[in-house]
Amino acid sequence: HLVLADMGCRNTVFNAKAQSGSEFIPSLLKSGIRMFRIELVDEPAECVEPLLEGYRDVIRGERSSSNLLKWLQKMPDANGNTQGTTKGS
């Protein structure tokens, strides 16, 4: 598990698997939510643009959340390891 310290020397332990709330996007949109935040920890730079495009496409209704989740399952971390993705908030 990745541990990072912030500027105040507080440590955060991150789950080994990335989390995604992509499956909740359609219901959040229906309830009026229009602003979303994506947090990245150690994703490779070349994966960031397609990741953001994937979420954008789900928000626009151009891609299913299950399709995005399948793609996220295969995304490597900065060390080239694929850890998978789990449900997140």
Side-chain angles (χ1 to χ4, degrees):
H1 297 283
L2 180 65
V3 178
L4 294 177
D6 65 12
M7 303 243 337
C9 292
R10 294 173 296 236
N11 292 322
T12 302
V13 179
F14 292 90
N15 193 334
K17 289 185 175 185
Q19 296 182 5
S20 174
S22 62
E23 71 180 272
F24 305 112
I25 290 174
S27 61
L28 292 169
L29 289 168
K30 285 179 188 174
S31 65
I33 304 295
R34 294 292 179 265
M35 297 183 75
F36 298 90
R37 180 176 77 188
I38 297 173
E39 293 185 3
L40 305 176
V41 178
D42 69 344
E43 288 72 14
E46 64 272 9
C47 293
V48 173
E49 185 175 358
L51 183 146
L52 295 175
E53 289 172 346
Y55 277 98
R56 180 202 60 205
D57 292 347
V58 171
I59 290 168
R60 289 180 175 174
E62 298 170 357
R63 184 176 188 175
S64 71
S65 57
S66 60
N67 179 273
L68 175 61
L69 193 56
K70 285 178 188 174
W71 180 83
L72 291 171
Q73 294 282 358
K74 299 173 188 172
M75 194 172 79
D77 62 18
N79 297 314
N81 301 316
T82 302
Q83 304 290 341
T85 306
T86 187
K87 275 188 195 178
S89 57

